[in-house]
Amino acid sequence: MAVSLVFDGLLALLILTLAWRAVTDRLQFRAVVSFVALGLVLAVTWFRLSAPDLALAEAAVGSGLTGALLLAALRRWSDRDADSGGSSTRSEP
Amino acid sequence: MNPAPATLFLLVGAAIFAIGLAGVFRDAGALRRIIAVNVMGSGVFLFLVAVADRSGGRPDPVPHAMVLTGIVVAVCATAVALTLADAVRGRGDQDPDGGGR
Amino acid sequence: MSGRRSAWILATAAFGLVAWAVLSLPTPAPGLTDRAFAALDDSGVTNPVTAVLLNYRSTDTLLELGVLLLAVVSVWGLRPSTGASFGRPPGPLLEGLLRILVPLLVLFGGYLLWIGAFAPGGAFQGGALVGGAIVLAVLGGLSPSRFGDRPALLRAGLAAGLAVFSCIGLSVMIAGGWFLDYPGRSAKVLILIIEAAATVSIGLTLGCLFIGGRPTTDGGPEPES
Amino acid sequence: MTGDRLLVLVPIVPLLAAVAAFAVPRWSRRIALWSMALTATIVVWIADEILRVGDLTHPLAGWSAPLGIDLRVDGLAVVMLLAVAGVGLIVSFNAASSFHETGSRGVPERVYWPLWLFLFSALNAIFVAGDVFTLYVAFEINGLAAVSLVAIAGKPEALGAALRYLFVSLTGSLLYLMGVAVLYADTGVLDLMLLADRITPGPPAIAACVLMTGGLMMKAALFPLHFWLPPAHSSAPAPVSAVLSALVVKGGFVILLRLWFGPFAEIVDGPAVQWIGALGAAAVLWGSFQALFQDRLKLVVAYSTVAQLGYLFLIVPIAWSAETRSAALAGGITLLLSHATAKAAFFLAAGNVLTAIGNDRAESLCGLSRWLPVSAFAMGLAAVSLVGLPPSAGFVGKWMLIVAAMEQRQWWWVAVMLIGTVLAAAYVVRILGPAFLMPESDPQPGPVPRLMEWTAFSLAAASVVLGLAASGVARFVNGSLPSGVGP
């Protein structure tokens, strides 16, 4: 009982930290990695909340494929930045 | 059976939903906003899974189905958003991922 | 930055609102668990989530397949052709590994589809694995254009899930029921057919979404009329 | 087949057509036009049946709510379906003619039609779905298709506007979905009617109400969440602008009405009702005021949409009391129909101007009535309805709302509507005055296909003639919103 409570608490903390970093990290790459990790931790949590099929789907699609999409985009954009000489820092209006 | 973990994760779901919401409304670049929208979505999904777990014993399959649908919708939206951000970038009219790196 | 601060104020308010709601949710929790399990005998499957997805609330799933196809249409429209190839050509070791891993993933996807009727799994997990296999093949250096060698076939595969799903739905309606109202004992078979088609479409869609642009072999540039 | 069975075809026919148009790109235009016509026929059939037997329900997959999903059509829904079918069909012909005669202009037709059909399928689904989660999926399809259609021509300003529209749409959807999740945790059902029965005022219901209202207000572009609308609606291809302004934003609005007057009635009751009206009033004034200062025709029309959506939200305080509910609702929906047709006509006519001279700057419109007479008159007629001059539907709708507001002694809404009318007259005259009175400035207009001109004109004519149909609208929508709530 106590063990599972500690485990839940740890999961909750991990989820919060990763979500926070995915949104606020100054480095885009680290933000993406945090997001992927968030997806995996969520999958573990859902396993624990008796939703194994959702855990599978989240790990494969929510975390895996979305992460792959984000990383691919990040690479495309940083490639082009490198071509045009460094990244721009102008923010969207 | 034991409502404690369900309530905990309901709150955590609400919290990361809110974190994502802040990320969308902060003036940041496209990639960050796309991540933020996904974090928001993850918050709702976690909330729903916890709702399903509240029913005790066997989990409620209806929120589970909703989450499964939601995950697929989210990945589709992400793909469209990234492609669109790509197009905006390609035209050089507007920088979709400002914000530091 | 004031935009940043107001965003966090908004977020705190949203969290407070939902947390306030969470703390006064009724117990015991209301829900559809009992109804969903009670109706399981008539649903044609024994996995309750599959029953919800493909029987009780099948129309949501149909619309969800619509979202998938829509995403492909949109991505192809916004980025008309595939860019340069992903990854480098694989070395012999990697290629050998991929040659084993990719079919294995597809096979496991089919397995998940099959067990979805009575155990955790189903069309989405199966389709996700097929999609994962495609992504892996592309990342490993298999040319994306080979993936689109047969554009008409690819389009048919992408459309199959939605087409089969809604045609079965309409057929059972013409036969006298409601939309997607599987008659009598046929639910099990019809659900399996729909899931098989959906698995193919979902896998291809996820693969296409990852690759991005429309395959260059697909009809070439838009003919000007 | 009976109407309740046919109900499901209203979203499914365009959906299947989208699949077919995707699978066989060569026939996409033909598939689109025929399926739109077929859907319109089915909708007319259903409308007729509703008048004879009353509301229709289709329990999807044979399971009724709560376990299954019910599709439901009442008078309000059928009026919206008729508007979608009618305006949608005419605008489709305009788009087809544009592709046929003037080429694709950077818009790939094989992509255009599937997206178009997805948009209409989802829009129809929004009006018939009785389930809050099905609504979420429908809103997502609707939003993604709309965003893609804005971006499709690849113009830089359109791409930026589309990206912003996408973020608004996704955020709105997720706010809404969180509301749905809270509602389900609170009540255990997703069906709108069952929700209305089971919900009890309390923190969960309030939270759900706030989240869903916020999300849908983003989609319905209610002031102050309208900021994304003018750039998106003004930079899209003309037929897309037409359906976005005329129809798509109304999806969010109608669902808001259903929620406020249904499950959330007890929560909204009180000062919130007046606040909703105040937002509507702010939208009327702000949108009209902004429209006065725009230099591009399409931007004027887009800001006018912000203002016209404001009028619709004035329905809420005026219709809240049961005595004036049917009158105010009938007036509001008549106004909605007049805006749907007039705005579609205006955007199509603006598109014709673009086709003819390549830009839509205000100073280029001089002498329009000589070099593009049909489109100029289409704009003139649409303007009559937008301003609300008799005998247009815009006039009849506003009049009914004003009478109902006077009956409730809520004279401040009357003042807002009158000021809005004056402002509308001002921006319309400012932009159209030169078109009719000044000598031509650009004497070399390119050819515009006749079908493109006449589709705009027929919609404009409809917006005037619909004023005569107001009693029919009243007959349909009478009793569409539950009348057992409110003060």
Side-chain angles (χ1 to χ4, degrees), chain C residues 54-78:
Chain C
L54 284 139
N55 202 334
Y56 313 148
R57 298 181 61 91
S58 46
T59 308
D60 279 349
T61 311
L62 177 73
L63 290 179
E64 174 195 340
L65 289 177
V67 179
L68 280 160
L69 185 61
L70 168 59
V72 171
V73 175
S74 172
V75 167
W76 284 7
L78 292 171

Side-chain angles (χ1 to χ4, degrees), chain A:
Chain A
M1 186 63 216
V3 175
S4 74
L5 215 63
V6 171
F7 187 59
D8 284 340
L10 276 177
L11 280 178
L13 264 178
L14 208 53
I15 292 172
L16 289 174
T17 319
L18 288 171
W20 178 268
R21 297 200 35 184
V23 171
T24 59
D25 202 304
R26 277 185 54 244
L27 283 177
Q28 291 189 338
F29 178 73
R30 282 213 305 239
V32 174
V33 170
S34 301
F35 177 76
V36 173
L38 171 67
L40 293 176
V41 177
L42 280 179
V44 173
T45 313
W46 294 354
F47 214 86
R48 161 111 185 82
L49 292 174
S50 36
D53 34 2
L54 296 192
L56 201 62
E58 171 67 15
V61 180
S63 168
L65 188 71
T66 307
L69 282 171
L70 291 170
L71 284 174
L74 195 58
R75 204 172 82 172
R76 277 197 305 273
W77 294 351
S78 58
D79 280 357
R80 213 172 300 161
D81 281 341
D83 292 346
S84 62
S87 73
S88 118
T89 48
R90 188 157 56 99
S91 62
E92 199 183 344

Side-chain angles (χ1 to χ4, degrees), chain C residues 92-116:
Chain C
L93 185 70
L94 183 62
E95 188 173 341
L97 194 66
L98 282 178
R99 278 192 194 289
I100 300 169
L101 201 57
V102 169
L104 213 60
L105 274 177
V106 174
L107 208 65
F108 192 58
Y111 169 73
L112 277 181
L113 155 73
W114 172 254
I115 65 159

